[in-house]
Amino acid sequence: MQKRQILVVVVVLAGVSLVVSDEDVKPLDFYKYSLQWPPSACTLPPPGKKCEVRHEARFTIHGYWPQYNKDTPVPPYCDDLRCTNTKPTSANDVVGILEKSPLKKDLMKDWPNLYARQRRKEEDNLEFWKYEWRKHGMCSDDANKPSEYFRNSLTLLPNFKNLKQDLGFKPRSKVGDILKNLRDKNYKVPQIVCNSNSQLLEIRFCYRNIAIDCPNWVGSKTCNKETADIFLPGGAGGTDDVKAQLNIEL
C-alpha cells in the first residue's frame, strides 16, 4: 500500500479519530471574516431566537470561516476530515478552554451571541463559540490551537473601528454607493449580506494572510445588485430617516 493512501488511526479516550496524510489534505484558499450589525440581526432574528437586550450599534464578530478555492465553504471537520492533517481540539474541550481564558472578556464584548438569554448569558455565549469552533475552527490553520484562532479573530476587529462611518450610509443609499464608499477608503471588496428588509446584516472581508478582494460581493438574495436599496438601522444616516424609508419601501 502506498504511503499516500495510508490513514493513520489515532485512538483516543473519546473515540477514534482519523488523521489525514499530508498528500490527502485539501488546501484552504482564504478566510471570510464576518462582521454582523446587531440592530439588523435583532430586527429579524432566526426562528426561535430573540434579542433580550438592545445591543450597541457597532459591528461585532460573527465568525472567521475557512474557504476552499472558488469561494467554496469548508464543511465541518466531522463531515470531511480532509481539511487538516492535524488532530483538532474537540468542541467540548474548547468550552473549558474559553471558560478559563483571559480572552473571554473580549469575546463577550466583541464576539457576542446576540440572542443569548440574559439569565444564561455566559453559557449561551460559550455555546455560540463552541458552535463556531465545531463548524469552522476545527478546519482552520489553528485546528489544534483554539486560543490562537479566537485571538486572531479579535485582533482583526480594530481594523474596522471606523467601518460604520466609512460605509457612508445616507437615506436612499444604494449598494453601489456603499461599495464605492469603501473603495474610496481603500477597503478591499467585501461580501454584502442583507436581511429580507434590505438591511445590512453582515459584511464579510476576505483574508489570505493579508486582506484580499472577496471573489463574490453578493451574499444574499436581497441587496444583490448595485442598484438595490440598502439600509443601516440605528446607524449612520439617521435612525429616524432609515425607519421612515423602511416604512415607505416595504
Side-chain angles (χ1 to χ4, degrees):
M1 184 178 294
Q2 295 180 358
K3 181 180 178 181
R4 65 179 297 165
Q5 295 175 318
I6 296 175
L7 291 179
V8 181
V9 180
V10 180
V11 180
V12 293
L13 291 176
V16 178
S17 176
L18 295 178
V19 178
V20 178
S21 65
D22 289 344
E23 295 89 345
D24 292 323
V25 170
K26 296 175 66 175
L28 306 181
D29 189 26
F30 67 97
Y31 287 83
K32 284 184 182 177
Y33 186 57
S34 185
L35 302 178
Q36 57 190 351
W37 184 247
S40 299
C42 292
T43 298
L44 293 172
K49 303 288 187 180
K50 65 177 181 179
C51 297
E52 292 190 359
V53 298
R54 182 173 182 174
H55 295 282
E56 187 179 352
R58 68 181 184 92
F59 285 99
T60 59
I61 302 168
H62 181 182
Y64 189 54
W65 307 329
Q67 307 288 306
Y68 288 136
N69 192 24
K70 298 182 179 179
D71 202 11
T72 304
V74 176
Y77 178 76
C78 60
D79 294 340
D80 188 352
L81 309 185
R82 293 174 297 167
C83 63
T84 181
N85 61 354
T86 301
K87 180 181 178 294
T89 303
S90 75
N92 287 334
D93 286 345
V94 161
V95 172
I97 291 170
L98 294 181
E99 193 170 21
K100 301 175 183 177
S101 172
L103 295 174
K104 187 174 73 171
K105 181 179 179 180
D106 287 336
L107 287 169
M108 294 280 286
K109 176 172 65 75
D110 293 331
W111 197 335
N113 179 349
L114 299 178
Y115 312 113
R117 296 162 292 180
Q118 292 307 292
R119 291 184 178 180
R120 303 180 66 178
K121 186 175 181 179
E122 182 172 324
E123 180 181 345
D124 286 355
N125 274 285
L126 286 166
E127 280 298 312
F128 176 46
W129 304 327
K130 175 183 176 181
Y131 172 84
E132 287 296 310
W133 177 255
R134 182 175 60 245
K135 188 171 181 181
H136 305 288
M138 291 177 72
C139 276
S140 71
D141 289 310
D142 295 314
N144 62 346
K145 296 178 289 185
S147 293
E148 289 301 306
Y149 173 81
F150 287 98
R151 182 182 292 109
N152 290 340
S153 301
L154 289 169
T155 300
L156 289 174
L157 191 59
N159 296 331
F160 303 98
K161 62 182 179 180
N162 296 322
L163 178 58
K164 183 174 75 171
Q165 292 76 21
D166 292 343
L167 287 165
F169 269 90
K170 298 178 181 178
R172 294 198 173 277
S173 284
K174 305 293 183 183
V175 174
D177 300 329
I178 301 307
L179 292 172
K180 181 181 183 301
N181 293 340
L182 292 177
R183 285 197 303 271
D184 291 345
K185 295 290 186 177
N186 297 317
Y187 287 83
K188 297 296 184 179
V189 176
Q191 185 174 67
I192 302 293
V193 179
C194 289
N195 61 22
S196 59
N197 284 354
S198 295
Q199 298 170 331
L200 180 64
L201 178 62
E202 296 186 12
I203 183 166
R204 300 167 181 167
F205 294 91
C206 297
Y207 284 87
R208 189 187 290 124
N209 295 322
I210 61 172
I212 61 171
D213 290 336
C214 289
N216 181 12
W217 69 262
V218 177
S220 57
K221 293 181 179 179
T222 51
C223 305
N224 60 358
K225 297 179 181 179
E226 293 196 18
T227 55
D229 293 325
I230 186 170
F231 306 98
L232 192 72
T239 304
D240 293 336
D241 290 339
V242 172
K243 286 182 178 178
Q245 290 297 327
L246 282 172
N247 288 335
I248 292 171
E249 299 291 338
L250 294 180

